[in-house]
Amino acid sequence: MRDVDVVIVGAGAAGLSLAHRLARTASARRPSVLLLDAPPGPLRPPSRTWCFWEPGPGPYDAALTAVWQRLRVHTPEGRSVEDGMAPLRYKMIRSEDFEAFVARELSHSGHVRRLEATVESVDGIPDGAEIRARTAGGRPLTVRARWVFDSRPLGSLPAARTTLLQHFHGWFVRAARPVFDPDVIDLMDFRIPQPPHGLAFGYVLPTGPQEALVEYTEFSGAALSRTDYEAALHHYTRNVLGLGPFEVTSTETGVIPMTDAPFARRTAPSVFRIGAAGGATRPSTGYTFAAVQRQTRAVAAALAAGRHPLPPPAHSARSRVMDAVLLRALDSGRVDGAAVFSRLFSHVPAERLLRFLDGRTRLHEDLSIGVRTPVLPMLRSAVDLARLPRRPFPR
């Protein structure tokens, strides 16, 4: 039996971010922290890439793979729209680099410890919570904590009016000749066949003249087979990008729910969810990392000040309403997703649009962006939401 102030369950982006912030707490109220990470195996997520944008330097710059200040969108008709995003910078960080960065910080901390263990249960008890787990060697472990922050993926999604999946497969490629512009990302490339519902696009993050992450991404109701992803990437790299000879050095695959479901941020008086499990994923885009930073920053500040550390909503109520309308419009087929995003990037400065996608714009800016979308289909979709029941995701 161990007693600590804080237990963090899961060492993904949210768990590591909170542990990092608590390790750097300079307050006299520094809590004792135990980070419980699943041993290597099926419960530990595979390596993946996180992207986000922020103005200027940030706390994780030492772990970044690459940084860009210009983006490009290709419309279905083949027209290219390129724009700068200053003062914002688009940043890419690989999960293994982020984990190594945080591990170095934790090694200097005297009050944050990390332990490999499989958590079997988290139960509320008077004035705290009890965690039962099993270490990598199979030994049972029980921990009592004043506060628990659980970042493990949910076993099933909450009931929603609309749920789409953002699913993708990417290749890290090395071309035989310089074919990439390392100063510009292709955020959305719609020069590829579109699915019957939702949308599909290519995504290119160049890390050098001959190296890049190239992904095929869909917003739709179901993921594809590995064969279908590979076929789509072969088409995109050869017929659209014209890369010529290249080798695939590694791959990544993922599925991100895009849903208007409400996510519970507290499951017991002292037990909270953070990260994607706590609603950090932006429903309209699938971006999560920046919202995780907002959540964990607020939690760390509350603990340092001795306040109740309920994680704040990751996204504003207005952002969640707008996302729900867009998801309904895409899922119903009322709007052409590729045309909507192409029009937005063609008529709205990239910096403002990125702030909008991160929920950082003011009401008048939201309205000015909203009129660039198909207004009547969006209004019909908004009316739909009032009468649609929330149902469990069937897959």
Side-chain angles (χ1 to χ4, degrees):
M1 178 76 73
R2 302 187 187 190
D3 292 310
V4 295
D5 296 318
V6 173
V7 167
I8 302 169
V9 181
L16 290 172
S17 296
L18 181 55
H20 176 256
R21 291 184 185 280
L22 293 179
R24 295 174 66 87
T25 297
S27 164
R29 297 178 179 269
R30 290 192 304 179
S32 58
V33 181
L34 180 62
L35 172 62
L36 293 176
D37 183 18
L43 294 181
R44 184 175 288 189
S47 297
R48 56 220 179 275
T49 299
W50 298 309
C51 289
F52 59 101
W53 49 86
E54 62 184 352
Y60 306 127
D61 283 0
L64 296 177
T65 300
V67 181
W68 303 269
Q69 283 193 281
R70 296 192 66 79
L71 63 79
R72 184 166 49 217
V73 170
H74 299 276
T75 70
E77 299 77 26
R79 184 170 57 88
S80 297
V81 180
E82 184 177 324
D83 197 4
M85 60 185 94
L88 299 178
R89 299 178 182 179
Y90 195 92
K91 301 183 176 184
M92 170 187 178
I93 188 168
R94 300 189 72 170
S95 58
E96 58 266 34
D97 296 330
F98 184 63
E99 184 172 0
F101 172 84
V102 174
R104 288 192 296 271
E105 294 283 335
L106 297 188
S107 68
H108 301 301
S109 170
H111 62 284
V112 180
R113 296 187 58 233
R114 182 174 180 177
L115 177 66
E116 285 190 354
T118 301
V119 173
E120 298 175 339
S121 65
V122 178
D123 299 306
I125 60 174
D127 296 322
E130 184 175 87
I131 301 94
R132 294 187 181 274
R134 197 165 295 275
T135 66
R139 181 172 58 88
L141 171 70
T142 301
V143 183
R144 285 181 178 169
R146 178 66 186 93
W147 307 109
V148 175
F149 299 90
D150 194 344
S151 67
R152 293 173 298 172
L154 298 178
S156 60
L157 293 174
R161 293 165 298 191
T162 308
T163 297
L164 293 175
L165 299 178
Q166 179 181 156
H167 49 100
F168 55 89
H169 184 63
W171 290 340
F172 288 87
V173 304
R174 181 179 295 115
R177 57 187 176 85
V179 291
F180 300 110
D181 181 348
D183 295 325
V184 184
I185 63 170
D186 287 313
L187 188 68
M188 289 181 156
D189 188 342
F190 294 112
R191 297 174 296 173
I192 56 177
Q194 295 297 306
H197 292 283
L199 70 154
F201 56 90
Y203 179 49
V204 182
L205 298 180
T207 56
Q210 294 175 251
E211 298 82 28
L213 168 61
V214 181
E215 286 191 350
Y216 172 83
T217 301
E218 270 196 26
F219 296 177
S220 60
L224 304 180
S225 68
R226 179 64 174 257
T227 301
D228 288 338
Y229 287 124
E230 295 282 332
L233 275 170
H234 276 293
H235 169 77
Y236 182 52
T237 54
R238 299 185 190 283
N239 299 339
V240 178
L241 297 180
L243 298 188
F246 64 87
E247 64 173 316
V248 178
T249 58
S250 60
T251 66
E252 71 169 22
T253 301
V255 179
I256 302 172
M258 303 171 64
T259 175
D260 67 356
F263 286 79
R265 290 172 286 126
R266 178 164 58 184
T267 59
S270 295
V271 181
F272 310 102
R273 287 179 178 152
I274 56 173
T281 300
R282 182 73 195 263
S284 62
T285 65
Y287 285 100
T288 305
F289 195 84
V292 161
Q293 303 314 310
R294 293 194 291 270
Q295 275 190 337
T296 56
R297 186 184 305 118
V299 167
L303 289 169
R307 302 192 308 269
H308 192 277
L310 174 67
H315 306 286
S316 70
R318 188 168 81 242
S319 294
R320 295 196 301 271
V321 169
M322 291 187 295
D323 286 351
V325 173
L326 176 60
L327 288 177
R328 178 58 186 163
L330 289 173
D331 192 43
S332 66
R334 287 197 181 101
V335 300
D336 180 333
V340 168
F341 281 100
S342 295
R343 180 173 173 78
L344 287 175
F345 279 98
S346 297
H347 292 87
V348 180
E351 181 270 342
R352 185 188 306 169
L353 194 52
L354 289 178
R355 284 193 295 109
F356 172 76
L357 295 177
D358 205 24
R360 295 307 185 99
T361 43
R362 297 190 175 100
L363 178 59
H364 73 276
E365 292 176 304
D366 292 345
L367 293 174
S368 70
I369 292 171
V371 298
R372 298 294 186 181
T373 66
V375 175
L376 288 179
M378 289 294 192
L379 289 175
R380 292 191 188 102
S381 299
V383 171
D384 273 358
L385 295 177
R387 56 174 180 257
L388 282 176
R390 295 189 181 273
R391 295 190 175 94
F393 188 59
R395 289 172 283 276

